[in-house]
């Protein structure tokens, strides 16, 4: 399968903390890849490097054949990288509908205002937020905010979607619904999804075809989901902590 | 057509001011003062209101525009005759927009407070440059009463100063309001909305925030140059650096926008009316004490109602009506 994202040997330090050391990552078009690892293992930092919030100290990031290592975030979004934030960052005093429409207007689809609202309507209905469309985003619950961020990112028609712990706090009943929506949208839009669902192992096992395990800023193991969760080193990292 | 409906109240209010001034004895100047504040707020709102960035050196664009008109009038009147006025506006526009691109390209990369400080520096620096080097008459300024008299005759120059200079301000205010409406209704309007809420998240959502900030800065500054050309050079017939670079105008512009409702279409107009009327009323009722009463009063209003008058109205009306009052 075609490689949509090729991360080559990236490192990133913050003062004394080395958040990532020489990490390689390949994401193939249309797959669902899970990234797991204990707290502070560098998952969010990896997303920040891919989406352009930070620049890596070393290494390169190739997206869909383009070297995006030094491109600003908005250029990467237009090329087709969409993401959510671990701590949701909705445009707070903007309605839910407008939040998602903004995602459509400026994403890789770059549509006009009317079309943006039409696209937003579709995703709000898919994620069960249609009834709250005219509320300010700050009135949403944490789980709803995460759903809205997923809708906002998807509305931009990304080729690669980075989900940073969007399933945290989701009641088990809703989780299944969310997972099946995600799978369906992925197939329909042909996007690659990289999800980190660290704390909900069931979701990773259910969703991801392949898993990468990060540990202290390094890639520990990578492989098909079943095999990774049987790996001794992974069990040590996880069971050793919990 | 429907998208132009919010523009109707703007036309109605400026039209009422204009007709009141025209038809009622002694009302032209007070109405013109309101139009000046309306125009100042409307134009400044395009930057402050849309981006949320405060330009404390904004008056520099009015100043450079007033010089543009003064240079055209004083050096070209023999060749161009009455064409010096349109030429002056073009020059004012060009000079203000060049300044805005030069300043914006550098200062707009700075965040919040640093941006504010940098812009004060530019404005004050420009003033000292003019005074220190003797550029454009230095601290003596440029006086254009004679060139304007030669080009328009005594009568013509008089009506230029007492009627046309004010009327042009109504025009600038309307143009600025119209541009604001067009921006608010377009993709750019949503880009500004997102940016004001969370600039970093907006960039991750695909918005080239620097480009939009520069766009707003450019439009706001070049229209500001036209205000300077009209309200200073054409109306007063002179340009002194100590007057045209007075930071008071920047502060008034900020107050008007915040008072009326930052980033809204009607806000700067309402803010300009309330500010102008209050200032005028205090000056008449408590002569000498007006500034002492005025500053704290304005401060209290803005701290108590940070969303401004239109902001409060929109909140009260609920989301269904938000589209009606912009
Ligand atoms: N902006 C920053 N400034 C300083 N240190 C940072 C910054 N971002 C991340 N770090 C540090 O880098 C390391 C990796 O953090 P990161 O957020 O990437 O981990 P994570 O795997 O996402 O953890 P979690 O599961 O808690 O979300 C941590 O030690 C963190 O404190
Ligand atoms: Mg994280």
């Amino acid at each position: 399968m075609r490689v949509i994202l090729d991360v080559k040997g990236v490192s990133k330090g913050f003062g004394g903390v080395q958040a990532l050391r020489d990490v390689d990552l390949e994401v193939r078009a249309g797959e669902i890849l899970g990234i797991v690892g204990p707290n502070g293992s560098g998952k969010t930092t990896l997303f920040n490097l891919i989406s352009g919030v930070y620049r890596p100290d070393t290494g390169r990031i190739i997206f869909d054949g383009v070297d995006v290592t030094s491109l600003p975030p908005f250029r990467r979004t237009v090329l087709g990288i969409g993401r959510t934030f671990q701590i949701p960052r909705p445009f707070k005093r903007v309605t839910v509908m407008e939040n998602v429409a903004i995602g459509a207007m400026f994403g890789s689809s770059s549509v006009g205002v009317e079309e943006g609202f039409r696209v937003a309507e579709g995703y709000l209905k898919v994620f069960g937020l249609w009834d709250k469309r005219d509320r300010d985003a700050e009135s949403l619950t944490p789980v709803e905010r995460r759903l809205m961020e997923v809708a906002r990112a998807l509305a931009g028609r990304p080729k690669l979607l980075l989900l940073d712990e969007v399933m945290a706090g989701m009641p088990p009943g809703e989780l299944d619904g969310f997972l099946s929506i995600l799978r369906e949208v992925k197939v329909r839009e042909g996007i690659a999804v990289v999800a980190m669902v660290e704390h909900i192992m069931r979701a990773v096992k259910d969703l991801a075809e392949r898993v990468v395990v990060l540990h202290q800023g390094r890639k520990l193991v990578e492989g098909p989901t079943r095999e990774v969760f049987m790996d001794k080193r992974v069990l040590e990292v996880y069971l050793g902590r919990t | 057509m429907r998208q132009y409906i919010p523009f109707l109240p703007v036309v109605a209010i400026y039209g009422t001011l204009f007709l009141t001034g025209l038809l009622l004895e002694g009302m032209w100047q007070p109405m013109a003062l309101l139009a000046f504040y309306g125009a100042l707020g409307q134009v400044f709102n395009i930057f402050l209101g849309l981006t949320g960035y405060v330009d404390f050196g904004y008056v520099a664009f009015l100043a450079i525009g007033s010089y543009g008109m003064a240079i055209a009038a004083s050096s070209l009147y023999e060749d161009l005759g009455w064409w010096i006025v349109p030429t002056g506006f073009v020059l004012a526009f060009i000079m203000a927009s060049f300044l805005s691109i030069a300043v914006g390209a550098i200062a707009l990369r700075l965040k919040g407070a640093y941006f504010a400080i940098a812009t004060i520096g530019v404005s004050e620096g420009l003033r000292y440059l003019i005074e220190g080097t003797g550029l454009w008459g230095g601290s003596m300024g440029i006086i254009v009463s004679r060139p304007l008299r030669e080009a328009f005759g005594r009568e013509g120059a008089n009506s230029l100063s007492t009627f046309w200079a004010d009327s042009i301000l109504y025009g600038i205010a309307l143009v600025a309001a119209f541009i604001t409406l067009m921006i608010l209704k377009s993709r750019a309007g949503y880009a500004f909305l997102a940016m004001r809420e969370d600039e970093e998240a907006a960039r991750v959502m695909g918005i080239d925030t620097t480009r939009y900030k520069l766009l707003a800065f450019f439009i706001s500054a070049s229209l500001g140059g036209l205000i300077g050309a009209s309200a200073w050079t054409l109306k007063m017939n002179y340009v002194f650096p100590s007057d045209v670079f007075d930071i008071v105008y920047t502060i008034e512009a900020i107050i008007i926008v915040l008072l009326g409702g930052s980033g809204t279409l009607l806000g700067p107009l309402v803010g300009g009316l309330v500010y102008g009327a209050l200032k005028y009323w205090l000056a008449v009722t408590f002569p000498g004490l007006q500034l002492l009463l005025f500053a704290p009063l304005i401060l209290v209003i803005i701290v108590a109602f940070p969303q401004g008058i239109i902001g409060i109205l929109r909140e009260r009306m609920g989301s269904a009506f938000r589209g009606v009052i912009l």
Side-chain angles (χ1 to χ4, degrees), chain A residues 53 72-74 77 83 85 89 91-95 98 102 105-106 110-111 113 117 134 136 152, chain B residues 185-188 190-191 193-195 197-198 200-209 212 319 322:
Chain A
V53 173
F74 58 86
T77 309
R83 74 167 286 180
F85 294 96
R89 293 174 79 161
F91 303 121
K92 284 190 188 141
R93 286 167 305 163
V94 175
T95 66
E98 286 169 332
I102 286 169
M105 283 181 230
F106 298 95
S110 279
V111 298
V113 175
F117 278 96
D134 287 330
D136 280 355
R152 187 173 68 175
Chain B
K185 292 284 189 183
S186 71
R187 278 174 89 231
Y190 289 94
L193 189 62
M195 238 170 84
E197 287 293 318
D198 185 338
E200 192 179 275
R203 286 168 69 78
V204 172
M205 296 327 296
I207 297 168
D208 184 351
T209 52
Y212 282 106
S319 53
R322 272 189 199 168

Side-chain angles (χ1 to χ4, degrees), chain A residues 14 17 19 37-46 54 86 165 198-199:
Chain A
F14 297 102
V17 183
N39 291 109
S41 55
K43 301 177 301 287
T44 298
T45 302
L46 186 59
Y54 301 129
Q86 182 170 0
E165 298 200 19
E198 192 228 324
H199 301 287

Side-chain angles (χ1 to χ4, degrees), chain B residues 262-280:
Chain B
S262 185
T264 64
L265 175 66
L266 275 177
L269 169 50
V270 173
L273 293 185
V274 172
Y275 180 85
L278 204 60
K279 189 175 169 183
Y280 190 78

Side-chain angles (χ1 to χ4, degrees), chain B residues 234-245:
Chain B
L234 290 187
K235 189 166 174 65
M236 304 299 185
N237 290 354
Y238 61 78
V239 177
F240 296 144
S242 52
D243 288 341
V244 294
F245 281 99

